[in-house]
Amino acid sequence: MKSSVVIEGRTELEVPDPSSYTFQGRFAPFKAPVFYNPKMEFSRDIAVGVLSSFACARGSPIRVCDPLAGVGARGVRYANEVPVVELSVMGDLNAESIPLILSNARRNGLEGKIEVVHEEANLLLSRHSEPGCRFDFIDIDPFGTPMPFVDSSVRALKNGGMLGVTATDTAPLCGVHTNACIRKYSSIPLRNEFCHETGLRILVGSIVRTAAKYDFGAFPLLSYSVDHYFRSYFRLKLGAHLADFAFRSMGYLLSCDSCLWRGVAQFEEPLQTTCTECGSPLRRAGPLWIGDLSDKSFLCRLAEFDFSYMRTNARISKLLSKISGEQGKPPGYYVLDFVSKRLSLSAPSLKGVLEELERLGYTASPTHFHPKGIKTSAPPSVVREVVRGLCTGFRLDDC
Ligand SMILES: C[S@@+](CC[C@H](N)C(=O)[O-])C[C@H]1O[C@@H](n2cnc3c(N)ncnc32)[C@H](O)[C@@H]1O
Ligand SMILES: [Zn+2]
């Protein structure tokens, strides 16, 4: 393999040489003998911060597993950049990955802290399902959906452990391929202007349901949608009552295409079929997670982590600040361009709409899901009038 050396965070990694594996003049990770995507450095940087914050609260040496390791970018970085990691177990089905992971571990002086196996991920995880062998953190970073690896991950996690999952199958989750979403996640997606949030909620809900089968409550610590993927971290706590408690945040998202009204229904509740505002038929998505997608106190702890040594530091700050602002806001968001197009108006500024909604007494914040997205407690009739008002100079409380 033609290789080159990159630095991510504080870690040196030998990776496939980008100029040797190209398609239409650009690096194509799938063409390389071992998978490495430089664009995921952002995700790996956040993961190092998340693991450090989680480990800090756990207060004891931790064992992590990266069973779909590629060049070992995640597992090697965890061992190198998170001091309390005492062991990082990495695996990959691709035989060519193994010498590269070992050499990356050696390159960073981590020989005593790692184990590398050429093994199918579910087999590796299942071998660690016995008490005493389990992990504090498992990172599932596959091609496409993480769902085939979630059962064995839950069984291989210690009580109180953390599970991180990536989903790159955003098309099914966002409702482009409904049947694939139903097959992989047992959930109906919704293709509309806030489909990225719905997709992330379906992913989170599916992990919660899988964990509940083993009497684990799964609680999302941090979830986000960026670029071509969704990523979510969960703390898993053992106890049937905790699994029941997590299930209370499962339900359905309801959406009206006519007036843009959205609502949620609890899992066991009968489903409303017509819109509260205009009486049109509602579309539904779910079952999915209807609670907060991240945990407020975990976000505060994560904000204390020093990301400044990482290349993606500025982008991480922006993302975490938007996610913090979204806490406690209802599911779904309004896309300003979409609302104004419906009104045949040009879009007013995001800042202006947020300020006006708050002045009227509603909660309002931007959302990391969309640069023109607004999360608010205001009903769609108010959002419409605010947009109209800012474009025409008319204020809702003038009348
Ligand atoms: C998206 S890549 C992982 C990228 C890596 N985590 C990183 O951050 O660079 C997925 C990896 O999983 C491996 N893989 C796919 N299916 C597998 C399976 N069932 N068991 C183990 N490894 C598998 C592939 O060979 C590939 O290296
Ligand atoms: Zn309606």
Side-chain angles (χ1 to χ4, degrees), residues 8 13 30 33-38 40-41 43-44 66-75 91-95 97 117-124 139-144 148-149 166 168:
E8 283 194 11
L13 296 166
F30 283 100
V34 179
F35 189 88
Y36 170 76
N37 186 353
M40 294 298 269
E41 178 176 353
S43 167
R44 290 185 283 267
D66 175 10
L68 302 129
V71 303
R74 286 174 186 271
D92 205 288
L93 205 48
N94 177 0
S97 277
V117 288
H118 176 213
E119 192 168 30
E120 202 280 325
N122 283 308
L123 292 177
L124 164 56
D139 191 335
I140 298 297
D141 186 42
F143 298 135
F149 308 105
T166 312
T168 58

Side-chain angles (χ1 to χ4, degrees), residues 256-261 275-280 282:
C256 173
D257 288 342
S258 300
C259 75
L260 306 186
W261 179 88
C275 175
T276 309
E277 287 221 356
C278 74
S280 301
L282 289 173

Side-chain angles (χ1 to χ4, degrees), residues 146-187:
M147 292 317 288
F149 308 105
V150 177
D151 284 86
S152 53
S153 296
V154 172
R155 290 195 300 261
L157 259 188
K158 286 185 196 167
N159 186 14
M162 181 168 73
L163 173 65
V165 298
T166 312
T168 58
D169 57 336
T170 52
L173 284 163
C174 290
V176 180
H177 308 299
T178 300
N179 288 344
C181 187
I182 293 172
R183 275 199 312 277
K184 303 291 175 198
Y185 298 93
S186 308
S187 184

Side-chain angles (χ1 to χ4, degrees), residues 17 26 46 57 70 111 120 139 209 231 249 298 336 382:
D17 178 29
R26 300 220 318 248
I46 295 177
E111 289 91 335
E120 202 280 325
D139 191 335
R209 279 188 287 159
R231 177 87 176 158
S249 293
F298 187 76
L336 221 46
V382 170

Side-chain angles (χ1 to χ4, degrees), residues 288-304:
L288 44 66
W289 180 257
I290 56 173
D292 273 343
L293 285 164
S294 301
D295 179 82
K296 206 172 174 178
S297 56
F298 187 76
L299 287 175
C300 290
R301 215 177 313 139
L302 190 56
E304 283 166 21

Side-chain angles (χ1 to χ4, degrees), residues 27 35 43 48 52 84 139 142 157 219 313 356 381 383-384:
F27 175 51
F35 189 88
S43 167
V48 168
S52 300
V84 291
D139 191 335
L157 259 188
F219 301 96
N313 173 35
E356 185 60 5
S381 52
V383 176
R384 273 196 304 273

